[in-house]
Amino acid sequence: APAPAPAPEPAPAPPPTSSVIPGSVQDFTVNVGDRVYFDLDSYSVRADAGPLLDAQAAWLVRYPNVQIRIEGNADERGTREYNLALGSRRANSVREYLVQRGVQPSRISTVSYGKEKPIDAGANEEAYQRNRNAHTAITSGAQ
């Protein structure tokens, strides 16, 4: 009888990032990206946000049970009312972008935090740029 084939070499240990479960919140955050940024007083999706939002849409189409909430944010300048309206427009711009790329509208809710939830507490242009954003949060359906 022929000799049994030698056992295959064990595979090398995967890099730490591969411990991310596909379809998980961590997968979305780490491998896709969950935040895009806006120009001052603008709710137009910037050109540099397109590739990230395209990746979000592709991921969401791949995982059809995932529900998301798009959270619109503004920097601290301007009135509370103005920033709530601006944050809402930003969230809706991202929602429309994702819907145009095949994500079912029923899977997407939006909320505006205006200037109430800054990610950078600074009071300079760099902080303001970071705080003008839309954050895509997974609310249910992830692995």
Side-chain angles (χ1 to χ4, degrees):
E9 292 281 320
T17 54
S18 70
S19 64
V20 174
I21 298 165
S24 67
V25 172
Q26 188 182 16
D27 176 37
F28 184 77
T29 305
V30 172
N31 296 322
V32 176
D34 63 352
R35 195 178 301 269
V36 294
Y37 299 90
F38 291 86
D39 293 328
L40 178 65
D41 292 331
S42 171
Y43 53 93
S44 298
V45 172
R46 293 184 346 195
D48 65 352
L52 191 143
L53 292 177
D54 290 344
Q56 283 189 7
W59 191 94
L60 290 163
V61 168
R62 187 176 315 128
Y63 299 104
N65 294 327
V66 172
Q67 302 280 321
I68 60 170
R69 178 181 61 240
I70 301 168
E71 303 165 344
N73 296 286
D75 67 40
E76 67 181 37
R77 297 169 295 180
T79 65
R80 183 171 185 274
E81 292 73 24
Y82 174 82
N83 282 313
L84 282 169
L86 184 59
S88 180
R89 289 188 192 101
R90 286 174 174 165
N92 281 312
S93 291
V94 170
R95 181 181 189 275
E96 287 169 24
Y97 190 102
L98 294 174
V99 168
Q100 287 171 357
R101 279 151 187 82
V103 181
Q104 290 299 314
S106 60
R107 298 171 56 197
I108 308 170
S109 66
T110 60
V111 65
S112 175
Y113 291 127
K115 59 182 178 179
E116 306 303 316
K117 289 194 172 189
I119 58 172
D120 188 325
N124 56 34
E125 187 51 41
E126 188 179 313
Y128 296 152
Q129 286 176 19
R130 294 192 66 219
N131 290 331
R132 295 192 298 262
N133 68 74
H135 175 247
T136 304
I138 293 176
T139 56
S140 69
Q143 298 298 315

